[in-house]
């Protein structure tokens, strides 16, 4: 939510409550991927970089591929025009998202194959003490791995706010703080520590043969 919208929600809670309920109800018959792609298009039309970053990340989390995001932008060409589409592509490239990097380096065939999730061997479980967190680069993605007893959680290193790639230096004990705008997360749960912040994106994970495996 933008600062201006948050202000209006506080200053005019009743009117804005109706407005937000209206927006939520509008997409109730659409699947989550379609809703996200339409939101991406509206952010590009309004040229709000923060919104575009936020909804692109959400679209990828809902299972959209980079190729589908680009298709949505290109299909909206009559409304967006070339200059807005180029503006959006500049923003998407600056986000440094692995899905778009794959598309840029290997073309549509690789991008189409990329969304198929598979298990990745992230690290040796013995290298992570109880209560510790490690930042690991694995198969083109960076993740934070947090261990609590026999349980292991694996989080994407991309901030759920605007997809900043959170560095190792952002770790303090079990708290991860994004350097860009200060969103902080509890690695034991993945939840944001401030109100109205989204949780870290968590990948399915398991221990097998002494290794930490994660699926993305
Ligand atoms: S990108 Fe804004 S807090 Fe991380």
């Amino acid at each position: 939510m933008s600062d201006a919208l948050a202000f209006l929600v506080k200053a005019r809670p009743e009117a804005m409550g109706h407005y937000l309920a209206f927006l939520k109800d509008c997409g109730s018959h659409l699947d989550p991927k379609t809703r996200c792609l339409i939101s991406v298009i509206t952010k590009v039309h309004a040229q709000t970089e923060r919104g575009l970053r936020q909804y692109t990340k959400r679209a990828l989390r809902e299972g959209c591929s980079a190729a589908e995001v680009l298709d949505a932008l290109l299909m909206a060409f009559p409304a967006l025009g070339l200059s807005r589409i180029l503006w959006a592509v500049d923003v998407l490239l600056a986000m440094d998202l692995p899905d778009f990097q794959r598309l840029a380096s290997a073309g549509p065939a690789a991008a189409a194959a990329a969304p198929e999730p598979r298990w990745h061997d992230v690290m040796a479980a013995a290298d992570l003490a109880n209560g510790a967190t490690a930042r690991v680069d694995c198969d083109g993605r960076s993740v934070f791995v947090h261990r609590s007893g026999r349980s292991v959680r694996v989080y994407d290193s991309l901030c759920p706010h605007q997809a900043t790639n959170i560095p190792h230096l952002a770790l303090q004990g079990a708290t991860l703080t994004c350097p860009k705008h200060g969103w902080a997360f509890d690695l034991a749960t993945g939840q944001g520590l401030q109100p109205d912040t989204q949780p870290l994106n968590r990948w399915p994970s398991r221990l097998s043969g002494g290794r930490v495996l994660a699926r993305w």
Side-chain angles (χ1 to χ4, degrees):
M1 184 180 294
S2 70
D3 293 342
L5 200 51
F7 170 82
L8 284 174
V9 167
K10 275 192 188 146
R12 292 287 181 274
E14 198 174 326
M16 294 307 293
H18 290 310
Y19 170 69
L20 294 175
F22 162 76
L23 287 182
K24 194 172 171 190
D25 204 39
C26 282
S28 61
H29 294 91
L30 296 172
D31 66 88
K33 284 174 61 173
T34 305
R35 272 205 308 271
C36 286
L37 289 175
I38 291 174
S39 294
V40 166
I41 290 169
T42 62
K43 301 305 169 193
V44 175
H45 189 266
Q47 289 192 289
T48 55
E49 180 173 341
R50 182 155 82 168
L52 173 58
R53 285 172 175 262
Q54 183 177 339
Y55 280 94
T56 299
K57 188 72 175 43
R58 193 174 294 179
L60 297 176
R61 206 163 52 231
E62 291 291 350
C64 294
S65 66
E68 286 173 322
V69 173
L70 286 185
D71 277 2
L73 295 180
L74 293 172
M75 279 200 72
F77 182 88
L80 298 179
L82 184 60
S83 64
R84 282 197 183 95
I85 291 175
L86 293 179
W87 169 84
V89 170
D90 276 340
V91 173
L92 295 173
L93 293 178
M95 288 170 73
D96 213 17
L97 296 167
D99 308 76
F100 284 90
Q101 288 166 355
R102 270 193 292 271
L103 189 57
S105 61
E116 274 305 314
R118 65 180 177 85
W119 288 97
H120 300 262
D121 185 338
V122 178
M123 66 183 297
D127 289 345
L128 202 57
N130 190 14
T133 306
R135 189 181 190 280
V136 182
D137 294 327
C138 175
D139 296 339
R141 190 181 289 282
S142 299
V143 294
F144 287 95
V145 187
H146 180 76
R147 180 162 194 173
S148 174
R150 289 283 300 160
S151 157
V152 170
R153 286 171 171 256
V154 178
Y155 302 104
D156 198 305
S157 67
L158 297 179
C159 180
H161 182 209
Q162 292 181 11
T164 294
N165 200 355
I166 304 176
H168 184 266
L169 288 173
L171 260 178
Q172 266 197 317
T175 300
L176 185 67
T177 305
C178 177
K180 190 152 187 194
H181 307 101
W183 282 22
F185 308 91
D186 177 2
L187 287 165
T189 64
Q191 295 299 314
L193 296 180
Q194 297 101 330
D196 298 332
T197 56
Q198 297 155 38
L200 287 168
N201 189 21
R202 183 182 171 196
W203 302 114
S205 61
R206 60 186 165 93
L207 292 172
S208 176
R211 308 290 303 178
V212 177
L213 306 182
R215 186 174 166 83
W216 63 73

